[in-house]
Amino acid sequence: MKKYTPTEKFDTRSGFGAGLHELGKKNPNVVALCADLTPSLKMEAFQKDFPERFIQCGIAEANMISIAAGLTIGGKIPFTGTFANFSTGRVYDQIRQSVAYSHKNVKICASHAGLTLGEDGATHQILEDLGMMKMLPGMVVINTCDFNQTKAATMAIADYNGPVYLRFGRPVIPNFTPADQVFQIGKAWTVNEGKDVTILCTGHMVWESIIAGEMLAEKGIDADILNIHTIKPLDDAAVLASAKKTGCVVTAEEHNVLGGLGESVARLLSTSLPTPMEMVGVKDTFGESGTPDELMEKYGLKARHIVDAVIKVMEKKKALV
Amino acid sequence: MADYKELTRVATQVRRDIIRMVHGAKNGHPGGALGCTDLLVLLYFKLMKHNNKNFSMDGKDEDLFFLSNGHISAVLYSTLARAGYFDVKELATHRKLNSRLQGHPTPHEHLPGIRIASGSLGQGLSVAVGAALAKKLNNDDKFVYVLMGDGEQQEGQIWEAAMFAPHNKVSNLIGFVDYNGIQIDGHTKDVLDLMDLGKKYESFGWEVLSCDGNNFESLESTILKAQANRSNGKPKMVIMHTQMGYPIDFMMGNHKWHGNAPNDEQKDKALAQLEVTLGDY
């Protein structure tokens, strides 16, 4: 198992804030919109240095999304910022009609996704957003795993012409991907090369998968770990190549197992390369209040749950032989 | 510059197109389309600076028009075709399979003149605000116009945009409410009363004007006043009093014609009230 020894910890939302600020310097067409959550989204630096390109919308997310669509008419590249819950479910119709169906170059940037939002509870812990967004034709869906990757993704999506949903989170976690990475939309990032089992992970579950990979190595299991930061378009070639190599697959995501990464992978494998699979994710339920760690433990999203799923899927593989 | 006589000739032909398009598709929304014809013809044939030959999505240095109540698409399609955006023959494809003239307007099919999808109501005012902000950022001094329905005012998002635009001094925005008092289920005052709509916008910080939307002189003088008052920093909202179905005698003021197509006999009866001026498609 490849060693990851990150010395620093950050929240992924700070990676978004840093990337957005860089974009402000680099690209005069980038504008940022926020719905009364500027500090939570880490958009203060952009607001301070580019006030003429920062649009405070107040607590009116539907208006914000449609204004963003209008701004693209005139060549602007709008980045909207609010919590993932208010970035998707609350404004689904605005995104569907004014952004996706209208092919507008809007970047919907969504923080505090999933259970790790913590104490605010299920009203704010959206676990359905990836599903909603990936069902929209033409929508690119990205869920980043650490500060560096979120910063790189934020900058990369400005160069891509089309609607993007960028999902990140609140908790402080290890920063382990390279600072100088070039983020490629739709290209899986290899965390570890192995031969016994494939682990496909996204968002905060990538670090948990690294810990799981170390635990598995102690048991003599060599995991092929791929970070699927882009849920859509899925890197079909990388998923199929790894599944072919290992013969069994575990997916790991901080999202409902209905509609998320696991289902995208299941669709691909069941139609192209039927392979035993297990899914680590939230089992079609709402979250609740608690610390991020307590919640990830209670809802089965820690490294040990990935290890359990690996053991189960490897037994399925063995039964096939 | 077109005079009212010439504009009337165009409007009469557009109204013939609307009747024939909705009849041809066997469904659609003729009432609001007929009522708003004068506004669209005045804008596209006289007041707006726009490029009908080389359509660009960005519309830099052009006045922009957005149709928020997308169900009256027939009037937009006919006006755009008559203004030279695409061949009038294409109007015959309206609402049919493989057409660029979808039931509700969309840029998805790349029809020149369409910059945003509309149909799900309440979004157009916000989109227009965004386009107007982009013009300001680009130092583009042209105007952004948006038309909404009166029933559409019942959508909550309208009031988010209504609060935003005056606060942010979106002074290059001129909105219109097609105030015909009728929606699908009946009169707006019975379905969900708008009460004093003008006062509502005024209290939100808009400059509110009103006019007869089926009278070119009233429409033009009101729009010119709205333009002239740009320096007061306020967005403008025009309460445009129209008659649904204007000027077809059996359609006017009847909510049945909000979303129903005329049958053969009704189509002939309506066309008999509209002379051919520019030639049918």
Side-chain angles (χ1 to χ4, degrees):
Chain A
M1 176 71 195
K2 188 174 165 187
K3 275 275 164 236
Y4 288 88
T5 50
T7 53
E8 41 178 33
K9 284 185 162 193
F10 294 113
D11 41 8
T12 49
R13 57 182 165 149
S14 288
F16 165 67
L20 186 67
H21 188 241
E22 281 295 307
L23 279 175
K25 290 187 255 180
K26 251 182 62 178
N27 190 333
N29 281 324
V30 167
V31 295
L33 300 90
C34 192
D36 195 36
L37 285 170
T38 311
S40 294
L41 267 287
K42 304 292 179 189
M43 295 167 90
E44 302 112 308
F46 186 99
Q47 180 185 27
K48 179 174 166 284
D49 288 346
F50 313 103
E52 73 291 348
R53 284 189 277 146
F54 179 82
I55 300 169
Q56 172 60 266
C57 294
I59 310 165
E61 295 83 5
N63 188 42
M64 175 170 75
I65 295 294
S66 302
I67 286 178
L71 279 160
T72 66
I73 301 164
K76 300 299 157 198
I77 308 172
F79 282 65
T80 66
T82 182
F83 289 171
N85 189 19
F86 314 135
S87 294
T88 55
R90 190 175 181 91
V91 293
Y92 195 73
D93 188 41
Q94 285 74 21
I95 296 176
R96 182 175 181 274
Q97 175 171 286
S98 295
V99 178
Y101 186 43
S102 295
H103 295 299
K104 295 306 179 202
N105 193 21
V106 175
K107 317 302 172 186
I108 299 159
C109 302
S111 184
H112 293 56
L115 292 173
T116 50
L117 170 139
E119 294 80 352
D120 278 346
T123 53
H124 289 51
Q125 291 161 345
I126 197 156
L127 296 164
E128 310 93 49
D129 54 327
L130 295 177
M132 280 189 275
M133 291 298 109
K134 80 178 189 185
M135 280 201 298
L136 290 170
M139 181 69 77
V140 167
V141 180
I142 298 171
N143 186 187
T144 50
C145 68
D146 73 352
F147 175 96
N148 284 341
Q149 190 180 70
T150 310
K151 183 179 175 189
T154 301
M155 297 179 68
I157 61 176
D159 294 329
Y160 166 81
N161 186 12
V164 175
Y165 178 63
L166 176 63
R167 179 198 214 230
F168 43 91
R170 180 186 184 217
V172 169
I173 54 153
N175 187 25
F176 55 92
T177 68
D180 60 352
Q181 68 191 283
V182 176
F183 186 90
Q184 282 183 282
I185 295 169
K187 263 275 177 253
W189 177 62
T190 302
V191 178
N192 188 58
E193 287 190 46
K195 59 180 188 337
D196 298 328
V197 62
T198 297
I199 300 174
L200 304 173
C201 47
T202 195
H204 293 137
M205 295 304 284
V206 180
W207 182 248
E208 294 299 324
S209 297
I210 290 173
I211 301 171
E214 287 163 357
M215 291 159 73
L216 289 165
E218 284 171 19
K219 296 177 194 289
I221 296 169
D222 186 13
D224 202 49
I225 306 177
L226 290 180
N227 167 214
I228 309 292
H229 50 63
T230 309
I231 315 292
K232 183 183 171 188
L234 189 66
D235 189 345
D236 291 4
V239 171
L240 290 171
S242 179
K244 196 171 177 192
K245 178 169 68 170
T246 66
C248 58
V249 172
V250 169
T251 56
E253 60 194 309
E254 188 185 348
H255 188 271
N256 195 339
V257 289
L258 303 185
L261 168 66
E263 274 202 355
S264 288
V265 171
R267 175 192 52 76
L268 173 66
L269 292 180
S270 62
T271 52
S272 301
L273 183 71
T275 307
M277 250 189 94
E278 283 294 321
M279 295 183 196
V280 174
V282 177
K283 306 290 191 283
D284 196 23
T285 181
F286 290 104
E288 63 181 289
S289 291
T291 67
D293 235 31
E294 287 168 348
L295 290 163
M296 296 294 265
E297 180 62 39
K298 175 166 178 178
Y299 289 87
L301 301 183
K302 297 295 283 182
R304 70 176 183 87
H305 301 105
I306 299 170
V307 171
D308 291 349
V310 164
I311 290 166
K312 209 167 155 191
V313 84
M314 286 183 71
E315 278 167 11
K316 281 192 201 170
K317 175 169 77 164
K318 216 154 85 189
L320 283 179
V321 182
Chain B
M1 188 126 306
D3 61 20
Y4 294 151
K5 203 175 153 199
E6 179 56 28
L7 290 176
T8 302
R9 278 167 54 78
V10 177
T12 302
Q13 189 64 51
V14 167
R15 287 184 162 110
R16 280 188 70 87
D17 291 347
I18 292 167
I19 296 289
R20 297 180 67 239
M21 287 163 76
V22 174
H23 172 262
K26 298 190 174 60
N27 59 58
H29 298 79
L34 291 165
C36 291
T37 299
D38 300 310
L39 172 68
L40 269 79
V41 168
L42 177 66
L43 288 176
Y44 277 92
F45 284 82
K46 185 164 186 186
L47 297 183
M48 275 170 46
K49 188 200 165 196
H50 61 107
N51 189 338
N52 58 351
K53 294 299 173 206
N54 292 301
F55 173 70
S56 81
M57 184 53 76
D58 282 354
K60 281 189 179 139
D61 293 314
E62 289 183 64
D63 294 313
L64 303 181
F65 173 80
F66 293 99
L67 182 68
S68 188
N69 47 338
H71 55 273
I72 68 165
S73 57
V75 64
L76 179 58
Y77 293 145
S78 168
T79 305
L80 288 173
R82 296 289 170 184
Y85 278 83
F86 54 89
D87 194 324
V88 294
K89 287 196 188 80
E90 201 171 341
L91 295 175
T93 70
H94 177 227
R95 287 184 163 245
K96 292 180 177 160
L97 194 65
N98 299 321
S99 174
R100 299 197 292 179
L101 281 62
Q102 290 291 296
H104 294 81
T106 173
H108 193 72
E109 311 298 335
H110 307 288
L111 186 70
I114 308 294
R115 293 188 167 88
I116 195 82
S118 60
S120 177
L121 296 172
Q123 300 181 28
L125 186 59
S126 305
V127 170
V129 165
L133 289 175
K135 286 210 174 290
K136 288 192 160 201
L137 285 165
N138 291 337
N139 296 314
D140 174 342
D141 66 355
K142 297 297 176 293
F143 282 96
V144 174
Y145 300 96
V146 57
L147 171 60
M148 300 176 282
D150 52 359
E152 186 178 8
Q153 303 303 303
Q154 293 157 0
E155 291 280 6
Q157 186 182 349
I158 299 269
W159 302 98
E160 294 184 3
M163 202 181 292
F164 181 96
H167 178 84
N168 289 282
K169 299 190 168 49
V170 186
S171 54
N172 53 344
L173 175 67
I174 300 177
F176 299 89
V177 176
D178 175 22
Y179 203 87
N180 59 24
I182 291 170
Q183 58 190 113
I184 291 180
D185 278 1
H187 291 275
T188 50
K189 67 174 167 38
D190 299 324
V191 176
L192 186 59
D193 198 346
L194 306 175
M195 306 252 176
D196 193 333
L197 188 63
K199 264 198 187 141
K200 286 182 180 172
Y201 274 102
E202 240 164 47
S203 73
F204 276 65
W206 292 66
E207 179 173 344
V208 176
L209 304 95
S210 73
C211 71
D212 178 350
N214 296 126
N215 178 306
F216 285 125
E217 204 174 338
S218 173
L219 268 171
E220 185 174 23
S221 62
T222 304
I223 295 168
L224 293 178
K225 188 178 166 201
Q227 290 176 347
N229 288 355
R230 180 175 180 154
S231 55
N232 70 13
K234 293 181 177 184
K236 312 295 184 291
M237 188 59 68
V238 180
I239 309 290
M240 186 176 81
H241 295 271
T242 65
Q243 291 240 43
M244 172 166 284
Y246 185 88
I248 309 301
D249 55 10
F250 64 92
M251 288 186 172
M252 280 197 291
N254 184 346
H255 74 91
K256 179 189 162 193
W257 294 105
H258 175 97
N260 271 311
N263 61 27
D264 292 349
E265 189 191 330
Q266 290 163 331
K267 183 249 313 176
D268 291 339
K269 213 172 140 193
L271 291 180
Q273 298 173 42
L274 300 163
E275 61 169 326
V276 180
T277 53
L278 309 178
D280 286 338
Y281 62 81

